[in-house]
Amino acid sequence: MGKKVTVVGAGFYGSTTAQRLAEYDFFETVVLTDIIEGKPEGLALDLNQSRPIEGFETKVVGVTTGANGEGYEAIEGSDVVVVTAGLPRKPGMSRMDLLEVNARIVRGVAENIAKYAPSAVVIVVSNPLDEMTALTQLATGFPRNRVLGQAGVLDTARFTNNVAEELGVPVGSVKTLTLGSHGDTMVPVPSQCTVDGQPLTGALSPEKIEELVVRTRNGGAEVVALLKTGSAYYAPSAAAARMARAVAQDSGEVWPVCAWVDGEYGISGVYLGVLAELGATGVRRVVETPLTDTELASLKEAAEAVRAKQADVASM
Ligand SMILES: NC(=O)c1ccc[n+]([C@@H]2O[C@H](COP(=O)([O-])OP(=O)(O)OC[C@H]3O[C@@H](n4cnc5c(N)ncnc54)[C@H](O)[C@@H]3O)[C@@H](O)[C@H]2O)c1
C-alpha cells in the first residue's frame, strides 16, 4: 500500500516540507493541515497543479482543522506525521521564549494525532524543539522510539555549509556533526568532522573552528535577524522531509536527531540530540560515536539543561 505522510501546520516550514515530500514522488498522499481556514486547501491545490511540470504523482490533500479536532479524520492511516504547528521566533527572541504558547498548540495537536493516527511515527519540529518533542511523547503516550525531533540534521547542515564556505570546497566533501540541544547547549563535534576524509582539525586552526562552531550554534538566529519576520524554512524543511522519508522507507539511515536517550554516553531519561538509525519504528537505535572528553562533558551538560526544561513541560 502507498505511504501517507501528514504535515501539521501549513506555515513556511510546513508548506515547504509538504512540497519536498510531494516532489520525492514516493508517498501516495501528503496531507497538509492548518487552523487557518482555506490555507492548507489552497496550498495543496497549488502544489497539485505543479505536478505536471515537476513530474510527480503524489497527491497533496489540504485540510483545515477545528478547535475540537474537526478535520483530523484526514490524517488517519498516516505512517509519519511532521508537527510544525506553532509560532516561530522574532528577532531577539530565543527559542525558549516560545515555550508556553507552543506547548499549548503542540499538546492539542499531539492529542489529535494519538486519536486519529495511533500507529504513526511523529517527527516534531516546533520550538523549543527538545521540549516540544518530550511534550509530544507525553501527550500522545506513544512509545518513545516513535516520537523524535528534528534539529541535528539542520544544525549539522549549517555547520557543513559554514566549513565548506570557509575553505571554498564543495559541501559534498565536508562531513560535520552536531549533537546536544537545539539551542544554547548545542554540541558541535569537531573531532568527527572531515574534509575530503581528512580531519577538520588539520585544515583549520582551533580559533577558526571555534568561530564556525559559534556561527553554527547561532545559525537560526542569523537567519531570523536577516528576515526580520519569521524564521528559516528551506534548510529546516529539507531536514524534516529527509527524516520522514527515511522512516517511511524503513531505510536504516543514520542521522543526528532528537531522540530518547537511555544509557548511551552514560546519559538516561531525556530527549537529546544524538545520532540515530531511523526506520519504520522511528528510532531503531541510538548510535554512539566516539567523543573527546570535552565533547562528552558538553553533551552531558546539554542533557542536564534540557532535562530540567523537559520536566517543566509535563505540566503544560
Ligand atoms: N526544529 C527546527 O530546526 C526548526 C527550524 C525552523 C523553525 N522551527 C519552528 O517551526 C515552527 C513553525 O515555523 P514556521 O516558520 O512554519 O512558522 P509559521 O508562522 O510560518 O507557521 C506556523 C503555522 O502553524 C499554524 N498553527 C498554529 N496552531 C496550529 C494548530 N493548532 N494546528 C495546526 N496548525 C497550527 C499557524 O496557523 C501557521 O500557519 C516554529 O515553532 C519554529 O520555531 C523549527
Side-chain angles (χ1 to χ4, degrees):
M1 211 171 87
K3 296 288 179 185
K4 178 169 176 178
V5 57
T6 291
V7 181
V8 179
F12 287 110
Y13 198 148
S15 57
T16 45
T17 301
Q19 178 187 351
R20 292 186 189 284
L21 289 166
E23 288 180 354
Y24 288 155
D25 205 16
F26 166 75
F27 292 92
E28 184 169 313
T29 313
V30 176
V31 177
L32 180 62
T33 77
D34 204 289
I35 52 170
I36 301 176
E37 176 92 52
K39 185 177 182 184
E41 290 85 351
L43 291 168
L45 178 60
D46 192 9
L47 277 167
N48 284 327
Q49 289 169 349
S50 76
R51 296 190 300 165
I53 310 167
E54 282 298 321
F56 63 93
E57 293 294 338
T58 298
K59 185 93 171 70
V60 185
V61 178
V63 181
T64 302
T65 54
N68 298 313
E70 300 89 340
Y72 265 94
E73 321 78 63
I75 80 164
E76 274 170 8
S78 296
D79 300 281
V80 192
V81 178
V82 182
V83 178
T84 78
L87 269 52
R89 284 191 280 174
K90 294 196 174 73
M93 279 175 97
S94 91
R95 294 180 179 94
M96 263 316 159
D97 294 333
L98 300 168
L99 185 65
E100 278 189 32
V101 59
N102 281 355
R104 269 196 300 279
I105 293 172
V106 169
R107 178 177 280 282
V109 169
E111 286 168 356
N112 281 307
I113 294 170
K115 191 166 167 195
Y116 291 96
S119 312
V121 170
V122 185
I123 298 172
V124 180
V125 313
S126 311
N127 274 318
L129 188 272
D130 308 277
E131 289 70 21
M132 292 306 108
T133 306
L135 174 60
T136 299
Q137 190 280 321
L138 287 170
T140 54
F142 285 3
R144 293 184 173 112
N145 58 288
R146 272 213 278 130
V147 179
L148 60 160
Q150 188 299 115
V153 180
L154 169 65
D155 296 330
T156 298
R158 285 177 171 154
F159 195 11
T160 296
N161 186 56
N162 290 341
V163 170
E165 287 201 339
E166 175 64 31
L167 291 171
V169 299
V171 288
S173 63
V174 179
K175 289 205 173 16
T176 65
L177 179 62
T178 63
L179 304 175
S181 80
H182 188 50
D184 296 339
T185 51
M186 185 189 300
V187 183
V189 187
S191 72
Q192 291 289 309
C193 301
T194 57
V195 181
D196 286 328
Q198 301 301 311
L200 177 65
T201 42
L204 289 171
S205 68
E207 295 73 28
K208 187 44 90 177
I209 292 176
E210 181 54 23
E211 199 182 304
L212 298 178
V213 159
V214 170
R215 189 170 180 205
T216 300
R217 198 174 282 130
N218 297 329
E222 190 179 349
V223 177
V224 169
L226 288 166
L227 292 178
K228 298 191 182 62
T229 69
S231 58
Y233 49 94
Y234 286 119
S237 62
R242 283 302 293 265
M243 286 169 63
R245 189 174 71 175
V247 168
Q249 293 183 332
D250 196 23
S251 74
E253 283 163 75
V254 175
W255 287 106
V257 303
C258 177
W260 184 255
V261 178
D262 193 14
E264 295 85 0
Y265 301 105
I267 300 167
S268 286
V270 67
Y271 270 101
L272 190 65
V274 286
L275 280 173
E277 184 181 309
L278 304 188
T281 54
V283 172
R284 287 185 188 166
R285 65 184 181 101
V286 170
V287 177
E288 281 190 80
T289 186
L291 300 177
T292 65
D293 289 348
T294 316
E295 289 161 352
L296 183 60
S298 301
L299 189 62
K300 289 189 169 171
E301 204 179 300
E304 293 322 310
V306 295
R307 190 195 304 282
K309 287 286 173 198
Q310 285 177 16
D312 291 349
V313 296
S315 56
M316 287 183 163

